[in-house]
Amino acid sequence: MTQTRASAAGERRAPGRGARRTDLAAFLRSRRERISPEDVGMPPGPRRRTPGLRREEVAQLAGVGVTWYTWLEQGRPINASPQVLDAVARTLRLDPAEREHLYALAGVTRRPVPVDPAEGLPDDVPVILDRLDPMPAAVVSERSDVIAWNSAYAAVIWCLPRVPPCERNTMWLSFTWPPCCNPIVNFDEQAHEAVAIFRYRYSRHMGDPGWKDLVQRLCAASPEFARLWATHDVAPPRPCDKVYRHPAVGEIALRSTGLDLTAAPGYRMIVYNPVGQRDADRIAHLLAHPREAAAALPDHRH
């Protein structure tokens, strides 16, 4: 079968792909036609029959081949890498929504750019966290850094506020906090899956210095993490049941659910729902008696 026939057959086997490429071609033409040569610092040149940049000008500015860009704009079934699409997006001056649209039409998965925690989360996120009390909830990055939390979360996962900000990471706390003081009761049975999910997210950030540094530190600090990391097992995220222990009230069983934050790409809100009434009552007791809860905590500081 020739390449052309094979491509056509592939289009037929994948419903919607042909329509998506047609939309991609129309979208690129519309974005190209709205930019004048003067907008990108090029001389206007002779009178143009159509508005905007020519295809060869877009290719030149984006640093891609003229034939490749022409085929892309014609909707031909060609491969497009995220790096090349980024160059085209910059040349066409696409805003964030248009960039995501371009990636979707090109059939390329693009990792969202996380917000910078130093710039703060959107104003409504802390409000939501507070209103979720007495259900423990926190905002966590893909790397498992805990960025914000409510009172119930701090009461149940009591070790979090007691460590430096650089150690406020659920993987770090789970694998390095001493067993005598670790608030997670059933982590041993969940450790394998936790590392497999962590690797699932890690694969989307290959080469990121922050991720590499965290993995190296975890491997050095925890032989168990190093052993599980070496298996190269991977698993998608899913809700799971966790059991925490607080010295003041005993065990608290919770089910965790992760919710992606559209207002803060790269972050998710983890909400912990008490499994039973006894668990809800114990959280309420911790919140109602903070001094008693604090007095019961061990003196150990990691």
Side-chain angles (χ1 to χ4, degrees):
M1 182 183 293
T2 66
Q3 183 176 2
T4 302
R5 290 181 180 177
S7 300
E11 296 289 346
R12 287 194 298 269
R13 286 194 298 269
R17 184 180 298 177
R20 190 175 63 198
R21 292 192 184 279
T22 299
D23 285 350
L24 172 61
F27 177 67
L28 287 172
R29 285 194 299 271
S30 70
R31 302 304 93 171
R32 173 170 59 85
E33 291 172 355
R34 71 180 181 177
I35 301 176
S36 68
E38 293 87 345
D39 291 336
V40 293
M42 299 179 67
R47 183 180 180 88
R48 296 173 180 242
R49 290 180 297 177
T50 57
L53 296 174
R54 298 187 176 98
R55 287 172 177 169
E56 56 268 24
E57 291 170 339
V58 173
Q60 177 185 350
L61 292 168
V64 300
V66 176
T67 300
W68 182 90
Y69 180 77
T70 300
W71 286 1
L72 179 69
E73 194 173 293
Q74 289 175 345
R76 296 198 188 189
I78 60 174
N79 293 324
S81 69
Q83 293 79 10
V84 172
L85 287 179
D86 274 340
V88 172
R90 285 193 298 270
T91 300
L92 297 178
R93 300 188 172 188
L94 304 186
D95 63 27
E98 291 172 327
R99 282 175 178 254
E100 294 303 319
H101 187 57
L102 171 64
Y103 270 77
L105 293 177
V108 174
T109 301
R110 183 172 186 261
R111 177 171 55 88
V113 179
V115 298
D116 185 351
E119 298 177 357
L121 294 167
D123 293 340
D124 57 336
V125 173
V127 174
I128 294 172
L129 284 175
D130 289 341
R131 290 183 176 176
L132 283 170
D133 269 328
M135 292 176 63
V139 174
V140 182
S141 71
E142 286 195 301
R143 198 174 57 192
S144 300
D145 298 317
V146 184
I147 307 302
W149 57 88
N150 62 9
S151 299
Y153 187 91
V156 175
I157 296 87
W158 49 265
C159 60
L160 181 77
R162 309 179 86 200
V163 300
C166 63
E167 295 182 7
R168 289 172 184 167
N169 177 282
T170 58
M171 294 296 290
W172 180 263
L173 292 175
S174 298
F175 280 98
T176 66
W177 196 266
C180 64
C181 308
N182 197 318
I184 308 178
V185 176
N186 64 334
F187 186 70
D188 285 347
E189 64 189 53
Q190 296 183 344
H192 180 272
E193 184 176 22
V195 175
I197 293 173
F198 186 71
R199 183 177 282 279
Y200 175 89
R201 293 194 171 102
Y202 173 85
S203 65
R204 302 169 61 190
H205 300 267
M206 300 296 291
D208 186 307
W211 280 80
K212 292 176 64 176
D213 176 69
L214 177 58
V215 170
Q216 290 172 354
R217 290 193 295 117
L218 281 168
C219 287
S222 170
E224 178 66 2
F225 177 87
R227 182 186 69 81
L228 294 172
W229 186 254
T231 66
H232 289 269
D233 290 342
V234 61
R238 67 174 183 85
C240 64
D241 292 336
K242 295 186 177 183
V243 180
Y244 293 90
R245 180 187 294 112
H246 194 288
V249 297
E251 294 185 357
I252 302 172
L254 303 169
R255 164 154 286 197
S256 67
T257 300
L259 308 169
D260 289 337
L261 295 178
T262 56
Y267 290 87
R268 64 190 186 282
M269 185 176 292
I270 308 297
V271 182
Y272 294 84
N273 191 29
V275 172
Q277 186 59 47
R278 185 193 67 170
D279 306 297
D281 291 342
R282 289 183 173 181
I283 295 175
H285 182 88
L286 292 175
L287 293 174
H289 303 88
R291 292 185 178 180
E292 174 191 330
L297 298 178
D299 293 332
H300 176 84
R301 291 180 181 271
H302 189 54

